Amino acid sequence: MTFLQQLIIAIVQGITEFLPISSSGHLILIPKLTDFPDQGPLIDVAVHVGSLLAIILYFRKDVMGLARGGFATVGLGSAPEQRRLFLFVLAGTVPAVIAGLYLKLGGYLESLRSTDLVATNLIVFGLLLGIADRIGRETKSYEDLTLRDAIIVGIAQAMALIPGTSRSGATMTAARFLGYDRVESARFSFLLAIPAVAGAGLIAALDLAEASSQMQMDAIGAGVMTFFAALATMMFLMNFLKKASMMVFVVYRVLLGAALLLLF
C-alpha cells in the first residue's frame, strides 16, 4: 500500500465509523472508485482498532467506570451501578461475537464485499434510521439501560457486520426506537463498540502476526492515522447531535445507495 492509499483509508474510516453511514461499506468502495487494489479485511479491521482507541480516549471516564464494573464483577471492589452497566454492555456484545465468529470461521467475509449489497443496505437501514429518529421518544438516558434494551441494541450491532448497514447507524437506530435521545444513543453505541471491535482486533492481530512485514507496517500506519481522524469526527458528532437530527445522514445514505445501484 502507498502512503496515499493508507491516508485515504484512514480518513474514510475515521469519519465514517462514527457517522451512521457505514465505515465498512465506504472502505469497500475505495478500490471501486480509485485505482487502488482492495486493501482486504485485515486492513479494514486494523483501522477499526484505530477508531477503538479514539473511543477509549474520548469516553475515558465511562471506560474507567466500565473497568471498575468489570473488577467488581469478579469480586474486586464494590461498584454496583458500574457493575450493572458492565454486564449490560457485555450482554449487548454477545450477538456480535457469535455473528462475527460465524462469518469469520465460515469464510463468508470476502463474499460480503459486494457493491450491490452495500448500496441496498445503505438505503434500507438509512430509511430505518430516519423513521427511528422521527418517531423515537427522547425519554431515556444511558443510566436507564436495561438488559432487554442492551440485547436489542446488541442484535442491531451484530446485523451491522454486513457492509453497508453501519454499526453506529444500526445501534443508534435501535436505541432511538427504544426511546433514548440522540446523544445517549450515540454514547451507548460507541461504548458497545469497545468489546466488539477489541475482539475483532484480537483475531486480526493473530492473522497479522502471520502476514508479511510490509502488511504489518501498512496496518499499523493506517491504524495510527485513523485514530486522529476518528477522534476529530467523534468530537464533531457528539456536538452535532445536541442540536440537529439524523436526517442529513439519511439523505446521504439514500443518495449514495441509489447512485451505486445505478453506476455499478
Side-chain angles (χ1 to χ4, degrees):
M1 293 173 61
T2 64
F3 175 78
L4 179 61
Q5 184 179 6
Q6 290 183 48
L7 180 62
I8 290 175
I9 290 172
I11 292 174
V12 169
Q13 164 64 20
I15 293 175
T16 59
E17 171 66 18
F18 302 110
L19 303 184
I21 55 178
S22 179
S23 59
S24 58
H26 281 75
L27 290 175
I28 289 171
L29 293 178
I30 290 176
K32 306 286 186 181
L33 301 175
T34 67
D35 292 329
F36 296 136
D38 191 326
Q39 67 275 3
L42 194 59
I43 296 296
D44 288 357
V45 174
V47 294
H48 275 80
V49 172
S51 300
L52 168 65
L53 297 178
I55 294 174
I56 293 174
L57 177 62
Y58 187 86
F59 289 104
R60 54 191 177 276
K61 291 183 179 179
D62 290 312
V63 172
M64 289 300 294
L66 289 175
R68 287 194 295 271
F71 286 126
T73 301
V74 295
L76 300 176
S78 176
E81 186 63 22
Q82 287 83 359
R83 179 177 179 272
R84 182 181 71 90
L85 292 174
F86 171 80
L87 291 174
F88 288 170
V89 168
L90 203 61
T93 302
V94 171
V97 172
I98 294 173
L101 288 174
Y102 174 77
L103 293 175
K104 170 70 174 178
L105 298 177
Y108 300 116
L109 291 177
E110 285 292 345
S111 63
L112 294 176
R113 300 174 73 81
S114 160
T115 305
D116 286 344
L117 181 62
V118 169
T120 301
N121 284 334
L122 281 170
I123 295 172
V124 172
F125 286 93
L127 293 174
L128 286 174
L129 174 63
I131 295 170
D133 195 51
R134 185 64 180 267
I135 70 173
R137 297 176 297 171
E138 298 189 33
T139 58
K140 294 181 181 179
S141 68
Y142 180 59
E143 287 71 21
D144 298 316
L145 186 66
T146 64
L147 179 60
R148 167 184 167 272
D149 290 355
I151 292 175
I152 290 174
V153 177
I155 291 172
Q157 177 170 253
M159 294 173 61
L161 290 171
I162 304 174
T165 303
S166 171
R167 195 207 60 79
S168 61
T171 50
M172 284 194 276
T173 296
R176 290 291 291 119
F177 271 126
L178 291 168
Y180 293 85
D181 68 37
R182 297 184 183 101
V183 173
E184 294 297 281
S185 296
R187 182 184 175 195
F188 181 55
S189 170
F190 297 151
L191 292 176
L192 193 61
I194 293 175
V197 178
L202 178 60
I203 294 174
L206 298 176
D207 291 338
L208 198 60
E210 301 176 358
S212 66
S213 59
Q214 185 59 54
M215 175 64 77
Q216 293 173 352
M217 292 301 296
D218 289 345
I220 293 172
V224 169
M225 288 187 286
T226 299
F227 166 80
F228 292 104
L231 188 60
T233 302
M234 198 181 322
M235 294 170 66
F236 160 78
L237 180 64
M238 296 304 287
N239 286 317
F240 177 84
L241 292 179
K242 293 177 181 178
K243 51 192 174 183
S245 74
M246 302 280 194
M247 194 52 60
V248 62
F249 305 122
V250 175
V251 172
Y252 173 81
R253 290 179 64 121
V254 172
L255 291 178
L256 177 59
L260 291 175
L261 289 175
L262 290 173
L263 295 175
F264 293 96

